[in-house]
Amino acid sequence: MPSMVAAVAVVAAVVLAAVRGPEPPGVIAALLSTGWLAVTVAAARAGRPGLARGAAVVTALQTAVVAMPAFGPLVVVAWTWVLLAVPHGRLASTSRRAIGALLVAGALSWSAALATAGLDTAAPAGALTGAMAGCAALTGFVGAARADQQARWTLLWAAAGGLIAVACASVAGALLLLVGTPTQPMLPALAGMLALPLGLAAGIWPRTAELAPRALTGALVVAGLTVLADIVYLVTVIGMGHRPVGGERTVLGLSLLVRCP
């Protein structure tokens, strides 16, 4: 049942995005819904119904964001709720349940304020989602140390996805600071968050779960080199004493993209 709900939600998200036109936030929300569909299917097949239901809810909320961006805070909270419930799909402690309840209450208030005030949701939602990716990576590292093998693989894959998402956000931020593009860096950063549900799905799926240590090693290398390249280029520009202009911007931006693995 959760897989069917998630599949219908993805189809609805794609249709809504097509009807509303090529608006980046809607397209990205539809794209992210496909990642959570993968988590829903993987969790249902692996016998983790709680995780499958949570992922299906996230998929449905991603679809709602395509129609009404004010639901953005609820999506952030739903992502966080599922990550708190990893690897078995339940909030196993009182502290996690309390955090989840507070997040839901806060998100409902925030969404209501955004809907009535007509404020932009991309920046705050993107900032929180980026922070959440870092937290997912950290949680994966910490939780894996005391988990059983299957749970450890899931957590390590989630950490790998979080690291890739952080790397994407790092590139977007560096490009903005160095060459002034993209003008909305939160959009590519949010698109990079697709790595998180895909990593989680890979950690649940039995055929790919055992590759978790290798995936984490690769993610560490990619994220580390990406952040290092960003820092080097930022220091170089500061040393130049002025922001790149004209052809300098093009050369610097393309070289930064090439340098990042």
Side-chain angles (χ1 to χ4, degrees):
M1 184 64 178
S3 298
M4 183 64 69
V5 171
V8 171
V10 169
V11 172
V14 172
V15 171
L16 282 171
V19 170
R20 293 174 65 88
E23 298 179 0
V27 173
I28 291 172
L31 178 66
L32 292 175
S33 70
T34 63
W36 284 102
L37 172 61
V39 177
T40 305
V41 173
R45 293 289 184 88
R48 302 189 197 180
L51 197 55
R53 288 192 294 269
V57 170
V58 177
T59 309
L61 285 173
Q62 288 286 172
T63 301
V65 168
V66 179
M68 190 173 182
F71 281 116
L74 284 176
V75 173
V76 174
V77 170
W79 280 54
T80 307
W81 185 288
V82 173
L83 291 174
L84 286 172
V86 169
H88 300 298
R90 60 179 182 273
L91 300 182
S93 65
T94 303
S95 60
R96 291 192 179 193
R97 288 191 289 271
I99 292 172
L102 288 173
L103 287 172
V104 170
L108 287 172
S109 302
W110 187 10
S111 289
L114 290 172
T116 55
L119 301 177
D120 178 37
T121 62
L128 285 178
T129 308
M132 185 175 57
C135 291
L138 181 60
T139 301
F141 287 124
V142 175
R146 54 178 184 273
D148 59 73
Q149 187 180 63
Q150 193 65 44
R152 184 181 301 114
W153 287 342
T154 303
L155 290 166
L156 290 180
W157 264 111
L163 286 171
I164 296 300
V166 169
C168 292
S170 172
V171 172
L175 285 173
L176 176 67
L177 292 173
L178 292 172
V179 298
T181 187
T183 55
Q184 293 181 295
M186 288 303 172
L187 295 179
L190 287 172
M193 286 297 294
L194 180 63
L196 190 48
L198 290 181
L200 186 54
I204 297 169
W205 195 260
R207 293 183 180 180
T208 55
E210 62 185 16
L211 300 175
R214 207 178 307 174
L216 181 61
T217 301
L220 279 169
V221 171
V222 170
L225 290 178
T226 299
V227 173
L228 180 61
D230 292 342
I231 293 173
V232 169
Y233 275 78
L234 285 170
V235 171
T236 301
V237 170
I238 292 173
M240 290 168 56
H242 69 278
R243 196 168 184 171
V245 295
E248 293 178 343
R249 295 177 57 185
T250 303
V251 172
L252 188 60
L254 290 175
S255 62
L256 177 59
L257 290 174
V258 170
R259 290 283 181 179
C260 293

